[in-house]
Amino acid sequence: MEKWVPLVMLLFLYLTLLMEAEVTYDGRSLVIDGHRKILFSGSIHYPRSTPQMWPNLIEKAKEGGVDVIQTYVFWNLHEPQPGQYDFSGRYDLVSFIKEIQAQGLYVCLRIGPYIESEWTYGGFPFWLHDVTGIVYRTDNEPFKYYMQNFTTKIVNMMKSEGLYAAQGGPIILSQIENEYQNIQKSFGEEGSRYVEWAAEMAVGLHTGVPWVMCKQTDAPDPLINTCNGMKCGETFTGPNSPNKPSLWTENWTSFYQVYGGVPYIRSAEDIAFHVTLFIARKNGSYVNYYMYHGGTNFGRSSSAYVITSYYDQAPLDEYGLLRQPKWGHLKELHAAIKSCSTTLLQGIQTNFSLGKMQEGYVFEDGDEECVAFLVNNDSVNKVTVQFQSRSYELLPKSISILPDCQNVTFNTANVNTKSNKRVINPVQSFSSTDKWEQFQDVIPKFEDTLLISNQLLEHMNLTKDKSDYLWYTLRFEHNSPCTESTLHVQSAAHVAHAFVDDTYIGGAHGSHDVKSFTLEVPITLNEGTNNISILSVMVGLPDSGAFLERRFAGLTSVEIQCSEESYDLTNSTWGYQVGLLGEQLQIYEEQNNSPVEWSQIGNTINQRLTWYKSVFDSPEGDDPVALNLGSMGKGETWVNGQSIGRYWILFHDSNGQPSQALYHVPRSFLKDTGNVLVVFEEGGGDPLHISINTVSTTYLDDTISK
Ligand SMILES: *[C@@H]1O[C@H](CO)[C@@H](O)[C@H](O)[C@H]1NC(C)=O
Ligand SMILES: *[C@@H]1O[C@H](CO)[C@@H](O)[C@H](O)[C@H]1NC(C)=O
Ligand SMILES: *[C@@H]1O[C@H](CO)[C@@H](O)[C@H](O)[C@H]1NC(C)=O
Ligand SMILES: *[C@@H]1O[C@H](CO)[C@@H](O)[C@H](O)[C@H]1NC(C)=O
Ligand SMILES: *[C@@H]1O[C@H](CO)[C@@H](O)[C@H](O)[C@H]1NC(C)=O
Ligand SMILES: *[C@@H]1O[C@H](CO)[C@@H](O)[C@H](O)[C@H]1NC(C)=O
Ligand SMILES: *[C@@H]1O[C@H](CO)[C@@H](O)[C@H](O)[C@H]1NC(C)=O
Ligand SMILES: CC(=O)N[C@H]1CO[C@H](CO)[C@@H](O)[C@@H]1O
Ligand SMILES: CC(=O)N[C@H]1CO[C@H](CO)[C@@H](O)[C@@H]1O
């Protein structure tokens, strides 16, 4: 036996050597195993879908001509408390990467660990806020300690699973920090020192693959500065060294959507134009679509005012279905570029004018190989240009690709893929009152509150992101007669609902762009004690900007105007309660013994602070499932104890429509029968008109596709 061991080991060593890929770069591209590569990459974030969806999403990306899957790493999910880690279920980063590897694609791992990404607190775990002396993202010892600790944890995990290309794994590229240049000025010298430190720290982890810093023009060697944006073919100032390639880490396929906003539709033609321009004009050799699949911000994971559906307009929609013609048009573009990538990567680039608004780019490799791009930047007129004594008609705002400098194989404005549209099939309704039970949440009494302070405390510092909700409650003694009294509340974010005794008197909210707001409502005061309670609500934590640790949310001043008198209650004695009773009791969990008495619902709709519960069977088939919550107001929904996200129907967009009415319920959250649906309604809604739907797409000539 013993004799065999060295032989087996040798064989094993030989096999691993065969598979190990060295990743370096030069002025043209990443160099994998000695070969330059043009790579198309697509962002898919593992916690925004489910492990059951991953294989299909990756397969569709691969079929669409994507070579690399790019993902952020979500620190707040993985380290909910310092030193306590969670990599289970949707958070299973290693399984996600192994699935990508199994399908033969590469990975770009953007560790951050600051990620922004419209993710609550930009991906930071909230406990960082309470670390003594911390200032995020600058030359600050406590911050650097935790950043290095988490980055090291992830890198070591990848290494121990053999996931770096240098070990035979799929990871070819990694990212430290994220668009730091946006805030660097706020930190002066300390900011520059931090960039140096972050680069050195990352390189010191010896992953064997290059690191990038995106939107960081001065990324220190050997890190590569990369471009984020919609038009990197026009905006990118280029690599900061001739030895570094032009890489585009975020080419936005759409834009994230906020409550009150409308979807940002970016056409397939426009994306194709700018991707091609980046390759032709900037020698671009890596383009990542942000997002290729956006998915869902489950639970309370979205950042301030960002809706639950994420980049639904991406080539794969929220449900993972092809969005056509985007997916198909980009697939054709990828094939056209790949057909001539050797020439693009080895050839010499020249450019020339073809007219006032027309230009050409040619890549020539010796006398044999030649690739041309003919650009028409006129967005109105098509034009005919002469190139190498042949005529070419160029469509408005388009680029023609000529892999042999003769024949056009692709024009960015000429879409051959058929368009499709989404079909929503209602399969179940909840229209009868006996399908529902309800539980009325309770407005806390001042004397029951556990925390008292004689000032208005900051919202996030109390909730620690364990809940969206914070009650501010006080007793107001009042003995003089008073006509036309009003309550004035100022809040720094995001929503406030005011109650006197148990009666609702009014509410107000801010928006993504203007977070502060004023609530001004008439109030009828009793002689004697008045119990005033204000529910402050956040819709996700902020995710960007300098000094995130110092942000202020919640109430900033409260005043009662009574006849000529004005009572400033800002520094009165306030009692606080974090979260709702139903949240504390976790009544959305699947339980045999409910901790509360659920009651039959009456005919009353539009009740505030009400929990609703029902049961439903899984729709037949495999089509994705969605709840239509269009009849509700604002709140959060759970299916079998798992939160499918916040909803906010009452916040209409400029067309008078809710920004999102349909909410994805992943198939893997469902059982065949007896699924428990729990809805917490904050603003008043009608549960009888909620419906269960399946989602599919149809091509505009009516053939159903998946
Ligand atoms: C990270 O911090 C934890 C404690 O929170 C410690 O156990 C661990 O050793 C640290 N890891 C590194 C790589 O510093
Ligand atoms: C592209 O590469 C060519 C060499 O083939 C070089 O002359 C040119 O300056 C590069 N263009 C850009 C924008 O980097
Ligand atoms: C070639 O491209 C460069 C950079 O975009 C531009 O400044 C120059 O005018 C172009 N040359 C011609 C002949 O169009
Ligand atoms: C096209 O024209 C616009 C102005 O209309 C300009 O901003 C842009 O840089 C031009 N792009 C190219 C590729 O020439
Ligand atoms: C957060 O609350 C703690 C008490 O719980 C207090 O000591 C601290 O000053 C507060 N921090 C901020 C930034 O409000
Ligand atoms: C205010 O709350 C106190 C204690 O909870 C209660 O005794 C009193 O009746 C309430 N006042 C009114 C007007 O409801
Ligand atoms: C409330 O107290 C704070 C300090 O605790 C003070 O700065 C502020 O001026 C006071 N506001 C009012 C309206 O009295
Ligand atoms: C860097 C960059 O190109 N940013 C652009 C991204 O797209 C938006 C919307 O079109 C532009 O406003 C930015 O300038
Ligand atoms: C594959 C292909 O279409 N080749 C054509 C390219 O253009 C030349 C000259 O215009 C034709 O002769 C080829 O047949």
Side-chain angles (χ1 to χ4, degrees):
M1 276 303 280
E2 273 168 8
K3 259 193 287 185
W4 288 101
V5 175
L7 244 176
V8 170
M9 279 174 66
L10 257 176
L11 187 69
F12 180 76
L13 198 70
Y14 173 72
L15 282 175
T16 19
L17 276 176
L18 258 188
M19 284 153 52
E20 279 166 14
E22 198 198 2
V23 184
T24 56
Y25 59 79
D26 64 15
R28 254 339 252 115
S29 76
L30 292 178
V31 178
I32 302 178
D33 255 351
H35 299 289
R36 288 178 177 165
K37 299 262 184 190
I38 290 190
L39 296 170
F40 293 101
S41 167
S43 285
I44 301 178
H45 294 157
Y46 53 99
R48 285 176 157 138
S49 54
T50 61
Q52 293 74 12
M53 292 169 72
W54 296 340
N56 186 256
L57 295 173
I58 295 162
E59 193 184 317
K60 284 172 172 165
K62 182 178 182 178
E63 204 187 322
V66 162
D67 310 293
V68 185
I69 303 295
Q70 177 170 300
T71 183
Y72 280 125
V73 177
F74 296 76
W75 187 1
N76 68 334
L77 301 182
H78 297 311
E79 195 175 0
Q81 293 302 324
Q84 281 177 27
Y85 297 102
D86 185 356
F87 291 93
S88 62
R90 284 191 292 116
Y91 310 164
D92 191 344
L93 174 60
V94 167
S95 293
F96 181 67
I97 295 180
K98 287 188 172 169
E99 179 61 40
I100 299 169
Q101 180 175 30
Q103 298 206 31
L105 300 187
Y106 295 121
V107 171
C108 170
L109 191 67
R110 306 173 84 192
I111 298 180
Y114 168 75
I115 60 170
E116 186 162 353
S117 194
E118 294 68 65
W119 192 258
T120 191
Y121 223 39
F124 285 157
F126 195 79
W127 54 259
L128 273 184
H129 176 267
D130 294 335
V131 171
T132 311
I134 201 161
V135 183
Y136 304 160
R137 304 175 70 198
T138 187
D139 186 16
N140 168 275
E141 291 306 323
F143 179 73
K144 290 190 302 184
Y145 171 79
Y146 287 105
M147 172 166 168
Q148 176 160 11
N149 186 287
F150 181 71
T151 308
T152 307
K153 167 88 188 173
I154 295 297
V155 167
N156 287 346
M157 194 172 181
M158 298 300 111
K159 281 186 189 171
S160 70
E161 298 281 344
L163 294 176
Y164 284 106
Q167 303 172 286
I171 305 173
I172 52 163
L173 202 59
S174 207
Q175 177 178 310
I176 196 75
E177 248 296 336
N178 190 56
E179 300 193 348
Y180 186 66
Q181 198 165 278
N182 290 347
I183 63 161
Q184 185 167 348
K185 277 207 188 76
S186 312
F187 299 106
E189 273 301 298
E190 292 185 6
S192 311
R193 285 207 300 273
Y194 168 67
V195 170
E196 293 289 338
W197 170 83
E200 248 172 62
M201 185 270 284
V203 171
L205 295 173
H206 303 291
T207 61
V209 305
W211 289 88
V212 305
M213 278 187 172
C214 61
K215 265 202 187 174
Q216 187 69 34
T217 315
D218 64 357
D221 294 341
L223 277 71
I224 308 167
N225 60 307
T226 64
C227 183
N228 287 359
M230 286 202 175
K231 303 179 176 181
C232 287
E234 288 166 3
T235 57
F236 189 41
T237 52
N240 62 19
S241 147
N243 305 322
K244 296 179 186 177
S246 276
L247 313 183
W248 188 353
T249 36
E250 288 192 19
N251 169 25
W252 303 322
T253 50
S254 169
F255 213 62
Y256 64 87
Q257 195 182 342
V258 299
Y259 289 107
V262 294
Y264 183 98
I265 315 270
R266 191 176 182 201
S267 70
E269 296 90 315
D270 188 52
I271 301 173
F273 180 91
H274 286 284
V275 169
T276 309
L277 188 66
F278 182 67
I279 291 168
R281 192 196 232 186
K282 303 283 179 182
N283 294 336
S285 59
Y286 176 99
V287 176
N288 177 66
Y289 299 100
Y290 192 97
M291 301 291 298
Y292 198 79
H293 169 257
T296 310
N297 292 313
F298 295 110
R300 300 184 305 102
S301 64
S302 64
S303 64
Y305 290 98
V306 170
I307 69 172
T308 292
S309 170
Y310 192 62
Y311 279 79
D312 182 36
Q313 294 293 324
L316 301 178
D317 75 7
E318 177 176 8
Y319 304 93
L321 304 174
L322 303 188
R323 186 171 284 287
Q324 297 286 39
K326 214 172 261 188
W327 182 87
H329 192 53
L330 295 176
K331 176 184 164 117
E332 284 181 22
L333 165 64
H334 302 155
I337 296 289
K338 285 296 170 73
S339 75
C340 52
S341 59
T342 310
T343 313
L344 293 176
L345 289 166
Q346 310 303 338
I348 307 285
Q349 182 213 43
T350 50
N351 65 314
F352 46 88
S353 172
L354 289 167
K356 202 159 158 238
M357 297 168 90
Q358 291 76 33
E359 55 186 357
Y361 292 88
V362 164
F363 291 78
E364 276 170 305
D365 189 9
D367 295 338
E368 304 279 291
E369 304 295 333
C370 176
V371 179
F373 297 90
L374 307 183
V375 182
N376 179 14
N377 197 32
D378 184 333
S379 34
V380 182
N381 303 301
K382 67 178 175 196
V383 290
T384 301
V385 297
Q386 296 297 312
F387 168 63
Q388 294 191 347
S389 51
R390 287 190 193 84
S391 293
Y392 294 88
E393 190 183 71
L394 306 182
L395 295 172
K397 195 75 185 184
S398 78
I399 305 178
S400 292
I401 303 178
L402 292 65
D404 58 357
C405 279
Q406 289 187 4
N407 305 292
V408 176
T409 59
F410 184 83
N411 177 281
T412 57
N414 183 10
V415 177
N416 298 312
T417 305
K418 263 185 273 178
S419 298
N420 67 0
K421 67 167 198 225
R422 184 173 287 167
V423 181
I424 309 297
N425 307 293
V427 289
Q428 272 177 64
S429 68
F430 297 87
S431 55
S432 113
T433 52
D434 56 11
K435 287 209 159 174
W436 290 100
E437 293 178 300
Q438 72 170 51
F439 169 71
Q440 188 68 39
D441 212 287
V442 176
I443 300 172
K445 292 185 165 52
F446 175 81
E447 63 268 24
D448 293 342
T449 53
L450 298 175
L451 178 66
I452 306 281
S453 169
N454 59 358
Q455 65 194 76
L456 292 172
L457 297 177
E458 198 281 317
H459 185 123
M460 293 177 271
N461 192 30
L462 291 191
T463 60
K464 307 291 181 204
D465 199 27
K466 296 278 188 279
S467 169
D468 285 353
Y469 299 98
L470 177 63
W471 282 104
Y472 294 71
T473 162
L474 104 164
R475 286 207 183 134
F476 177 57
E477 297 293 336
H478 174 72
N479 295 307
S480 56
C482 160
T483 50
E484 292 185 24
S485 42
T486 23
L487 174 71
H488 297 264
V489 177
Q490 268 171 30
S491 169
H494 295 158
V495 182
H497 300 290
F499 300 81
V500 176
D501 300 322
D502 279 341
T503 307
Y504 178 76
I505 59 166
H509 64 81
S511 68
H512 180 260
D513 296 338
V514 186
K515 292 178 175 72
S516 299
F517 62 91
T518 305
L519 166 66
E520 205 172 295
V521 279
I523 177 171
T524 308
L525 294 171
N526 303 310
E527 291 267 318
T529 308
N530 292 273
N531 301 311
I532 297 176
S533 300
I534 303 168
L535 181 60
S536 174
V537 189
M538 286 190 79
V539 190
L541 301 193
D543 70 334
S544 63
F547 305 114
L548 203 53
E549 69 285 347
R550 294 185 212 163
R551 292 301 161 74
F552 196 100
L555 309 189
T556 52
S557 91
V558 179
E559 205 181 278
I560 288 180
Q561 187 82 35
C562 165
S563 301
E564 300 303 296
E565 292 283 343
S566 162
Y567 302 92
D568 192 330
L569 306 179
T570 305
N571 290 346
S572 299
T573 306
W574 290 94
Y576 293 87
Q577 177 185 299
V578 172
L580 307 163
L581 180 61
E583 284 181 303
Q584 286 164 15
L585 298 174
Q586 301 189 317
I587 64 176
Y588 45 79
E589 292 286 348
E590 283 182 282
Q591 292 147 330
N592 293 327
N593 297 316
S594 177
V596 300
E597 281 287 318
W598 292 85
S599 56
Q600 289 298 309
I601 70 166
N603 289 322
T604 41
I605 54 169
N606 283 329
Q607 297 186 126
R608 284 164 210 286
L609 308 185
T610 306
W611 297 82
Y612 295 102
K613 182 157 119 173
S614 189
V615 172
F616 66 97
D617 293 342
S618 211
E620 280 176 15
D622 300 327
D623 284 341
V625 177
L627 273 176
N628 189 330
L629 296 173
S631 63
M632 300 304 287
K634 178 184 182 305
E636 187 174 346
T637 308
W638 291 260
V639 173
N640 295 329
Q642 304 209 56
S643 172
I644 61 163
R646 301 185 184 97
Y647 64 90
W648 195 350
I649 306 300
L650 291 172
F651 198 150
H652 286 175
D653 64 20
S654 49
N655 304 318
Q657 297 296 317
S659 295
Q660 184 183 353
L662 276 186
Y663 290 81
H664 184 202
V665 184
R667 281 272 177 189
S668 60
F669 286 15
L670 296 172
K671 308 177 282 192
D672 286 347
T673 58
N675 298 292
V676 178
L677 169 67
V678 173
V679 181
F680 173 67
E681 175 54 50
E682 168 191 326
D686 171 10
L688 301 184
H689 286 90
I690 292 177
S691 62
I692 306 268
N693 303 269
T694 58
V695 183
S696 56
T697 58
T698 177
Y699 280 94
L700 295 182
D701 73 355
D702 288 327
T703 38
I704 297 281
S705 81
K706 288 226 176 119

